[in-house]
Each structure stands twice: as structure tokens, then as C-alpha cells.
Amino acid sequence: MAKPTSSVCNIDCKYCFYLEKDKLYPERKNNWKMSQETLEIYVKQYIEANDSYEIEFAWQGGEPTLMGIEFFIKALEYQKKYSNGKKIKNTLQTNGLLINKEWCVFLSENNFLVGISIDGPEYLHDKYRVTRSGKKTHAKVVSTINLMKIHNVEFNTLVTINSENVKHPIEVYKFLVGIGSKYIQFIPIVERRSQNANIDGLYLISPEHNIKSDVTEWSVSSKEYGLFLSSIFDYWVRRDVGEIFINIFDSTLSTWCGLPPNNCVQAEVCGYAFVLEANGDIYNCDHFVYPEHKLGNIENVSLRRVASFDKAKEFGLSKKKSLTSQCKNCDYLFACNGGCPKHRFLNTSDGEYGLSYFCEGYKMFYSHIHRDMDIMKSFLNSGKSASNIVDKYLNIKKLSHVKRNSKCPCGSDRKYKNCCSKL
């Protein structure tokens, strides 16, 4: 992921873990944009470092649209110059505030996939996603989404799950579907804030620093997150499978079928989603942009060489190596793999450090969806679509003759009145 503006952004999301990274680069307060020289080096090295035919550039922030369209026009020129016959794709993650008609025409003509951040209905979104002067941003984001639809800009939605919107799962889901989002990614927020800044001036600490700290007030609890996912899954699995795609649901179904997950959080190892800062510095992951995790700078070392560093490899492998005994013996290890290393800061029941903060929520979610995942897996194994589960539930819904206290015909062990009759 390339961050051409580093942590510089035009809004001040209260839960953003990246805004304080400006303390690592104090000289960039007046020189925060990625230079054309660094851009060209990055594009050239990234293409050379990829052996696959299709290469995807991911532009993130901060807020990457602060660079202006001209920056991305130049990026496309460099991509064409160094493509060497490879197919190049681009994704752009944005808060949407600067997207206008000119941007939409550019993004559409050049086939950018746009990820736009929105946290649900207005009263939930504007709780944390405000400008530096405290102004609300929801209306502009919705306007941007409508403009992108007019200009056929392909987009998906990224939703940060925090202490407020986690309480309204179905309302959030219906809102996202209502604005035309067919691809949805949920990102749970949990940050620990130290009572004192570290040597670099950072208050939000990494899991490696086992020092006295408090979970921030905007963080979502593990149990609430599990309930949030379970509630939306119940609604989605009865109506929208094959129509609406939710990252964690799709990835979990992959693991249920014995395939690799399609996100790093559930992967067995990690460490190859490198992050490029505006000045060319390289880190293993944007959740680990700390001096001890810096791998080098592209002006001095190539991306291909960085990928071969023992330090980079060890970071990725440590996700598997550092699993607690509790994780290794868990029935859902195949689907979870211990979660994101950033979230591993709890002790197990035996006092072993390194359990995921979201362990309780994940277990709740996986146990809740187990039966439906098995059903969808059976459809796939027989050459059918997983979306057949929707028809299965529609047929169950028609069974009005089933007595309320009988076992539900969907296959659960619950009574019909406590299960599918509620549909």
C-alpha cells in the first residue's frame, strides 16, 4: 500500500490510528507529498518485484486525493512506461470529500476501483468522521457515492466498526445496501492508548509493548463485534448471498472449504502487505509503522530485495509461531489463525500472553454461523452456488404448518418459534 500523503488527511477521524504518525516524520509537516522521483522509483520497483502478469497498485493515506489528479496521471504514465507487457490495476481508498465530476471521469476512464469510507447512517458516521473544525462529513460522502454511480466508477465500502455503530448492525447493513454498495468490508476498531507517550511521541501503542495502557473509548468490545457480525450474517444469509459480498463472510467460507482466506487478518502468516511512506520508507504493515519495523527506503534498497530480508520474513512467520496454546487447540483455528497480530495483547486463561482481543467475539461468530457455512459448503461441493441457501430459507419460510414448538426444519436444534418462524 502506497501512502503518497503519509498520515496527512483533510478530516480528523477521532479513531484514526494513523494521524499521529506525523510525529515519526516531523520534517514532513511542510513537505508531506510524495515526490515525482520517489513515485517513479516506486512504480518501477513494484512492477519489477512482481512476477505475476497482473499487478495491483493500492493508493491509501492519510487521504491520497490530496495529491491531486495530476499525481495519479503521472503514476499511470510511469506504469505504462515500466509495465513490460503486464496488466496494471489501481485501487484508491478515500474519504470521498474531494471527489468531484473531474475525479469521477478520471477514475472511470482509467478503471480505478475506489474504496470509500462510510460508517453507516448520518448519526453514526458523523460521530467520529468529522473535519478538523468539527464539521460533519456524511452528506458529502453520500453525494460522492451517488456521483460515482452516475459516472460508473466501481466502488466498495469500508466500514470501521466502533463503539457506536456496533450497536446497530442491521441498520448499518441496510443503509450500505441502500446506497448501492455490493462489496462491503468491516474493520473493527480497537486501540490501546498509553498513559505516557513513547520515545517517538506516540500514544497509540503496538501489541509488542506490554506496558500500562487503556483501550480507547471508541474501541469496539469483542463480544459486541461478534454479535454485530452474527446479526448481519443472519440477515444476509437469508436474502443476499451471491448479491452482496462481505469480505469476512466470503473469506470465512473459503476457509470452511479448505481454501486460503482472502484477507490478511484470517491468513496463517502475514507480512507481505508492505506499506510505503511518502518519503519512500518501507514497513511490513500499516498497523506496524514504528521505527523498529522499518525495513529500509526504496531509494537505497529495492522492494524485491526487501521482500527477501530475514526481518520481513520473520515478521510474517511470527504470526503463526507466536500462537498461544489456547489458539492452537481451538476448533476454529482454521478460520481465524489467531487474528491480526496487532490485536494480540490479552492473556489466555492460563496466563499466556498473546491472545487476540477479539477471541471471544470470533468464537461467538464462528459457532453461530457454523451450520449455515456447512450448508453453503455442501452446495459448493456438489457443484451448486452457495446462494442456493437463500432458496432453502425461502422454502422453509413457506412451512406455515410447522408447529411452533417443533424442531425447526432448517436443521438447527432450536424450536421453530425461536428460529425460522421469526422470518
Side-chain angles (χ1 to χ4, degrees):
M1 298 187 295
K3 295 178 177 286
T5 68
S6 188
S7 61
V8 175
C9 190
N10 55 343
I11 62 174
D12 190 21
C13 300
K14 296 178 182 178
Y15 55 57
C16 182
F17 70 94
Y18 216 80
L19 288 178
E20 72 169 11
K21 300 299 182 182
D22 61 356
K23 295 182 176 64
L24 299 178
Y25 297 95
E27 75 282 1
R28 300 195 65 78
K29 288 184 177 180
N30 298 315
N31 185 26
W32 48 270
K33 291 185 176 182
M34 180 180 285
S35 68
Q36 284 198 14
E37 293 76 17
T38 301
L39 173 63
E40 182 171 11
I41 293 171
Y42 166 58
V43 170
K44 182 176 184 293
Q45 287 191 14
Y46 188 59
I47 293 173
E48 290 175 346
N50 278 276
D51 295 324
S52 57
Y53 165 70
E54 191 172 287
I55 300 172
E56 182 177 289
F57 282 80
W59 307 97
Q60 298 210 359
E63 176 50 44
T65 58
L66 287 170
M67 297 298 296
I69 291 178
E70 297 76 16
F71 174 85
F72 292 97
I73 290 175
K74 204 67 183 175
L76 292 175
E77 291 177 4
Y78 292 140
Q79 289 172 359
K80 184 177 180 180
K81 178 179 178 181
Y82 296 109
S83 65
N84 195 28
K86 295 181 178 180
K87 183 179 180 181
I88 308 294
K89 299 173 68 176
N90 287 276
T91 65
L92 177 75
Q93 183 64 42
T94 177
N95 57 39
L97 266 62
L98 296 180
I99 302 294
N100 54 20
K101 181 179 178 180
E102 184 184 7
W103 266 105
C104 286
V105 170
F106 169 78
L107 295 169
S108 179
E109 288 180 347
N110 293 285
N111 301 311
F112 272 67
L113 170 61
V114 177
I116 189 159
S117 296
I118 187 164
D119 287 352
E122 182 176 9
Y123 78 101
L124 295 174
H125 175 95
D126 287 336
K127 171 69 177 179
Y128 292 118
R129 300 189 68 83
V130 295
T131 66
R132 294 187 181 279
S133 60
K135 293 182 179 179
K136 300 176 180 180
T137 63
H138 187 270
K140 172 55 182 170
V141 178
V142 172
S143 175
T144 292
I145 290 173
N146 290 332
L147 191 61
M148 290 196 298
K149 288 191 289 186
I150 291 172
H151 291 277
N152 297 313
V153 177
E154 187 179 358
F155 75 95
N156 56 37
T157 47
L158 188 149
V159 188
T160 49
I161 308 306
N162 54 67
S163 58
E164 293 297 318
N165 60 4
V166 72
K167 302 169 186 174
H168 309 276
I170 304 303
E171 188 176 359
V172 169
Y173 178 73
K174 285 184 175 181
F175 171 81
L176 296 171
V177 174
I179 60 174
S181 177
K182 290 186 175 295
Y183 298 89
I184 301 168
Q185 184 176 3
F186 296 127
I187 306 294
I189 295 294
V190 58
E191 297 290 346
R192 291 190 301 159
R193 181 170 47 205
S194 173
Q195 295 179 356
N196 299 295
N198 67 12
I199 192 172
D200 300 300
L202 303 179
Y203 281 89
L204 300 180
I205 59 176
S206 79
E208 296 168 320
H209 298 284
N210 191 14
I211 58 179
K212 190 173 180 59
S213 61
D214 300 303
V215 172
T216 60
E217 62 272 16
W218 56 78
S219 296
V220 59
S221 78
S222 178
K223 184 177 180 179
E224 282 182 320
Y225 184 53
L227 289 170
F228 177 90
L229 292 177
S230 298
S231 297
I232 292 180
F233 182 88
D234 285 348
Y235 192 92
W236 170 82
V237 81
R238 289 164 169 79
R239 297 166 178 81
D240 297 329
V241 181
E243 297 293 330
I244 306 298
F245 300 89
I246 299 175
N247 183 273
I248 189 171
F249 297 170
D250 293 341
S251 188
T252 300
L253 182 56
S254 291
T255 66
W256 231 265
C257 295
L259 301 172
N262 58 17
N263 67 46
C264 60
V265 173
Q266 293 173 267
E268 187 175 38
V269 297
C270 63
Y272 285 95
F274 292 139
V275 169
L276 183 77
E277 274 285 325
N279 71 338
D281 284 350
I282 313 162
Y283 296 85
N284 273 112
C285 169
D286 69 339
H287 288 298
F288 285 82
V289 176
Y290 296 92
E292 61 267 32
H293 288 289
K294 180 179 171 181
L295 297 171
N297 187 287
I298 58 172
E299 293 187 12
N300 305 314
V301 60
S302 72
L303 285 170
R304 179 177 283 276
R305 188 171 168 222
V306 163
S308 69
F309 282 178
D310 289 340
K311 183 178 180 180
K313 292 179 179 179
E314 186 57 34
F315 178 88
L317 292 172
S318 66
K319 180 180 182 182
K320 181 179 180 179
K321 291 180 178 180
S322 62
L323 284 171
T324 65
S325 297
Q326 182 173 318
C327 288
K328 292 176 182 177
N329 295 314
C330 178
D331 291 338
Y332 297 112
L333 177 62
F334 72 95
C336 171
N337 282 306
C340 179
K342 177 187 178 180
H343 302 147
R344 296 181 180 180
F345 55 82
L346 296 186
N347 291 327
T348 67
S349 56
D350 295 329
E352 186 179 0
Y353 183 76
L355 184 69
S356 172
Y357 171 87
F358 288 111
C359 179
E360 179 185 11
Y362 284 146
K363 280 186 177 180
M364 178 188 301
F365 171 59
Y366 293 135
S367 62
H368 182 80
I369 67 173
H370 198 129
R371 176 175 55 88
D372 287 325
M373 282 290 167
D374 284 345
I375 292 171
M376 287 190 285
K377 177 184 176 180
S378 69
F379 282 136
L380 292 171
N381 286 342
S382 62
K384 298 177 182 178
S385 170
S387 62
N388 282 348
I389 195 171
V390 176
D391 294 330
K392 179 181 175 71
Y393 275 115
L394 285 174
N395 290 331
I396 291 170
K397 189 176 179 181
K398 297 174 184 176
L399 298 177
S400 58
H401 65 279
V402 178
K403 294 181 179 180
R404 284 171 49 77
N405 289 315
S406 299
K407 276 193 175 182
C408 187
C410 74
S412 72
D413 291 327
R414 291 175 290 181
K415 292 181 178 180
Y416 181 62
K417 67 180 181 182
N418 296 323
C419 194
C420 290
S421 69
K422 295 181 177 182
L423 293 174

